Amino acid sequence: MTGTIDPTVVNLVVFVLAVFVGYHVIWNVTPALHTPLMSVTNAISSVIIVGAILAAGPAEVDFGSAMGAVAVGLAAINVAGGFLVTKRMLAMFKKKPRVEKAAEKK
Amino acid sequence: MSANLVALWYLAASVCFILALKGLSSPESARRGNVFGIAGMTIAVVTTLAIVARGRLDLILIAMVIGGMIGSFVSRRVEMTQMPELVAAMHSLVGMAAVLIAVAVVNNPGAFGEHDPLPRVNRFELFIGSFVGAVTFSGSVIAFGKLAGLGKKFRLFSSAPVVFRGQHPLNLVLALVMIGFGFAFFLAEGKAWTPFLAMLGIAFVLGVLIIIPIGGADMPVVISMLNSYSGWAAAGIGFSLNNTMLIIAGSLVGSSGAILSYIMCKAMNRSFFSVILGGFGAAEGATAADAAQKTVKSGSAEDAAFLLSNAESVVIVPGYGLAVARAQHAVKEMAQKLIAKGVSVRYAIHPVAGRMPGHMNVLLAEAEVPYDQVFEMEDINSEFGTTDVVLVLGANDVVNPLAHEKGSPIYGMPIIEANKARTVLVNKRSMAAGYAGLDNPLFYMDKTMMVFGDAKKVVEDMVKAID
């Protein structure tokens, strides 16, 4: 066996291992947090923004980089929206001192 | 920055994403997890910006600021009942971004450090990433329309399944044609716009056709499935750009969505394929017809309040009807009053209570129900035998004992065993059947008392009556 490993093979190795990691990590997520899980995975899959940045990157603006810029905008909506709405939801799951809090409001 | 350094920063970002998901194993660690997620994203974006530092940074930053502002505005304004719509809309954005990036790659592979023209292997990967992205986009748009209730204006968004003759053969033919164009794109010399765009066009149509036959009750599965697709689309783009971080993040999201789809299907006792092929609820409608003869006991909110305050243990079973009536806060107030009287109050949540996985938990959390009072179905089911009163609010199919009877359409579906409690109180607006179109024997049991009316009104009356 000689020669260098094709990048596609490396990608495949990474992919298979990542699916295994994903499988085990996700089964550990408590069902109560499945909605925040969805919103945070949404934000995480928006890491596709790095591809969009590369597309929009060239110094010369053409059709492709315009597409890239639009993609950056779309992905940025998700990044900001995904993480912030997750934060908002998780804040609701805070343990609160129940009785005192109710008294405060009145 | 050298390529090695970039790869190492991307590795750090990938680890952050894994930690973000790991944090969700408990509410305490989840907030820290989200911080990891944000850190990972920041590392990824800053590293990539450094790569293109000599290019049009202004264009990129303007797009990021505009997108970020829209995102944060929406995240502040969205109601918790609208989470399914928001998530569907966000899936569509990931799908569209994947398509646009694929177009940019075909246009100028050099910008991504690829050979020009694009090598065959990368074309194959690009084909997968872009068609999954296109299906995710148009499918999510339809799912969004269905969830947002746009069905009245456009039949395409109808929450009832849209089915027509020859639907499945048509989908199959379209899929084959799409793969054909993908193959042509793979083999062609030069930029090969024609097969690429034809393939994309068909993928958009397919996304629509796949989602329209799926009925409103199956929405939790659809959202999870599209969640999964959006991840695979990101992973596919990662492959074609040789970007390991994108592959890792995409695979994490892809497997997350797949697992959620599996959990939802199991909770509804439906096979994944029967959901995809659609049409649930249309065939079983007839069974609800013979309900009229049987009699139910019905009582007032005051009667219910009396039973509740004299019980030792109460379990509340909330369904989506509760969220629609915006009764969460009233329920929480009632629970507090009961707890103050020494009654033990707990909540039992079915996995498909709500319109997406975990939806009901969020709705209760929003009403400041402490999460240690909230139990998952399998954790609380064994305790109904010793429960004095079960209060079912706006739920139907998930407490239907027919699920234990062979031959019923929902046989085998896991249910909350409310029928085992000593007394059952059910609040519903009318005797109409649930999503499954089935009659519910629970309502006719001797120990069951129905309290008809809007959930919010009824619970508020109960709160007044408990003293």
Side-chain angles (χ1 to χ4, degrees):
Chain A
M1 237 176 41
T2 50
T4 51
I5 300 171
D6 195 282
T8 307
V9 177
V10 177
N11 291 342
L12 200 63
V13 170
V14 171
F15 175 72
V16 172
L17 293 180
V19 169
F20 269 96
V21 172
Y23 181 86
H24 287 286
V25 171
I26 303 299
W27 273 116
N28 268 328
V29 173
T30 165
L33 294 179
H34 276 163
T35 297
L37 170 68
M38 283 210 141
S39 59
V40 85
T41 50
N42 234 316
I44 289 175
S45 60
S46 309
V47 74
I48 202 165
I49 196 170
V50 303
I53 292 174
L54 293 177
E60 237 173 89
V61 176
D62 68 348
F63 169 67
S65 61
M67 292 287 110
V70 175
V72 169
L74 295 183
I77 296 178
N78 261 6
V79 170
F83 283 123
L84 289 175
V85 88
T86 308
K87 192 178 163 208
R88 208 181 125 197
M89 273 192 276
L90 292 177
M92 295 172 182
F93 282 89
K94 263 189 192 142
K95 232 181 203 151
K96 297 179 185 93
R98 288 167 226 163
V99 186
E100 294 90 312
K101 174 114 193 204
E104 249 170 58
K105 267 189 185 167
K106 276 160 199 168
Chain B
M1 226 190 293
S2 79
N4 284 335
L5 198 55
V6 169
L8 289 176
W9 278 118
Y10 280 171
L11 174 65
S14 309
V15 171
C16 285
F17 293 146
I18 295 170
L19 291 174
L21 296 179
K22 199 169 181 314
L24 289 168
S25 55
S26 88
E28 284 87 23
S29 57
R31 278 182 295 279
R32 198 177 55 226
N34 201 38
V35 174
F36 271 118
I38 295 171
M41 189 59 69
T42 311
I43 295 171
V45 169
V46 171
T47 307
T48 317
L49 286 176
I51 300 174
V52 295
R54 290 208 203 106
R56 293 300 305 264
L57 268 187
D58 51 346
L59 203 67
I60 295 167
L61 290 176
I62 289 170
M64 273 172 55
V65 169
I66 295 174
M69 271 164 43
I70 298 173
S72 47
F73 177 77
V74 172
S75 72
R76 269 198 303 272
R77 294 295 292 273
V78 67
E79 301 266 353
M80 287 302 130
T81 41
Q82 295 170 329
M83 276 314 294
E85 288 101 300
L86 177 75
V87 168
M90 289 171 71
H91 291 152
S92 76
L93 295 181
V94 177
M96 198 60 199
V99 170
L100 293 176
I101 294 165
V103 170
V105 175
V106 174
N107 181 65
N108 180 12
F112 301 87
E114 307 267 9
H115 295 286
D116 195 356
L118 206 58
R120 291 250 156 91
V121 189
N122 297 80
R123 284 190 201 205
F124 174 70
E125 295 158 349
L126 200 64
F127 161 65
I128 293 183
S130 53
F131 97 69
V132 177
V135 168
T136 307
F137 170 74
S138 55
S140 299
V141 168
I142 298 293
F144 171 81
K146 283 185 184 235
L147 287 164
L150 301 177
K152 287 184 196 96
K153 286 178 203 144
F154 307 98
R155 199 170 117 64
L156 210 55
F157 295 138
S158 165
S159 68
V162 179
V163 279
F164 53 86
R165 247 142 78 87
Q167 194 163 23
H168 301 315
L170 175 71
N171 288 352
L172 186 67
V173 169
L174 281 177
L176 290 175
V177 173
M178 184 189 73
I179 292 170
F181 278 118
F183 202 62
F185 170 66
F186 174 65
L187 291 175
E189 307 291 328
K191 291 208 190 300
W193 278 113
T194 318
F196 179 73
L197 292 178
M199 181 267 293
L200 270 186
I202 296 174
F204 280 125
V205 175
L206 261 180
V208 173
L209 289 176
I210 290 173
I211 305 300
I212 52 168
I214 303 181
D218 285 332
M219 268 341 212
V221 182
V222 172
I223 299 191
S224 317
M225 190 178 82
L226 290 166
N227 184 237
S228 181
Y229 286 3
S230 70
W232 302 130
I237 297 295
F239 264 95
S240 47
L241 301 182
N242 286 328
N243 185 323
T244 47
M245 175 183 65
L246 252 180
I247 296 175
I248 293 172
S251 319
L252 291 175
V253 177
S255 36
S256 162
I259 289 171
L260 289 176
S261 310
Y262 171 80
I263 294 174
M264 290 297 109
C265 282
K266 223 171 156 203
M268 294 196 292
N269 192 34
R270 308 258 282 129
S271 82
F272 188 69
F273 285 101
S274 66
V275 171
I276 301 302
L277 298 178
F280 190 51
E284 277 95 283
T287 36
D290 59 342
Q293 285 86 356
K294 286 180 269 181
T295 51
V296 296
K297 244 192 325 190
S298 83
S300 67
E302 286 74 26
D303 300 336
F306 177 78
L307 284 170
L308 286 170
S309 40
N310 285 309
E312 252 174 50
S313 55
V314 170
V315 174
I316 300 173
V317 182
Y320 192 64
L322 173 95
V324 172
R326 318 196 128 277
Q328 307 94 298
H329 293 274
V331 171
K332 185 232 170 187
E333 208 182 316
M334 182 184 72
Q336 268 184 335
K337 270 194 159 178
L338 288 174
I339 291 167
K341 289 172 80 84
V343 183
S344 130
V345 178
R346 286 174 296 177
Y347 298 80
I349 311 274
H350 192 275
V352 292
R355 288 191 302 172
M356 67 187 289
H359 197 187
M360 191 52 67
N361 301 80
V362 172
L363 295 173
L364 290 178
E366 189 194 15
E368 300 187 358
V369 172
Y371 61 82
D372 48 13
Q373 291 174 11
V374 181
F375 292 85
E376 299 302 321
M377 177 176 67
E378 54 264 39
D379 298 332
I380 202 170
N381 251 352
S382 58
E383 299 183 32
F384 279 106
T386 55
T387 301
D388 292 326
V389 180
V390 170
L391 175 61
V392 180
L393 292 165
N396 186 350
D397 294 336
V398 297
V399 290
N400 193 338
L402 273 185
H404 292 316
E405 269 170 49
K406 274 204 175 113
S408 95
I410 56 167
Y411 173 66
M413 173 171 151
I415 57 160
I416 293 180
E417 291 170 346
N419 52 322
K420 292 198 177 144
R422 293 195 187 101
T423 306
V424 183
L425 299 173
V426 180
N427 165 246
K428 264 173 77 62
R429 282 148 68 96
S430 68
M431 283 304 289
Y435 274 130
L438 282 174
D439 199 15
N440 192 337
L442 178 72
F443 302 160
Y444 307 103
M445 291 169 84
D446 283 339
K447 60 185 174 188
T448 304
M449 184 175 89
M450 305 293 290
V451 186
F452 291 109
D454 174 72
K456 190 173 179 190
K457 177 83 181 39
V458 166
V459 176
E460 279 171 353
D461 288 346
M462 288 184 195
V463 173
K464 275 185 222 141
I466 298 171
D467 272 310

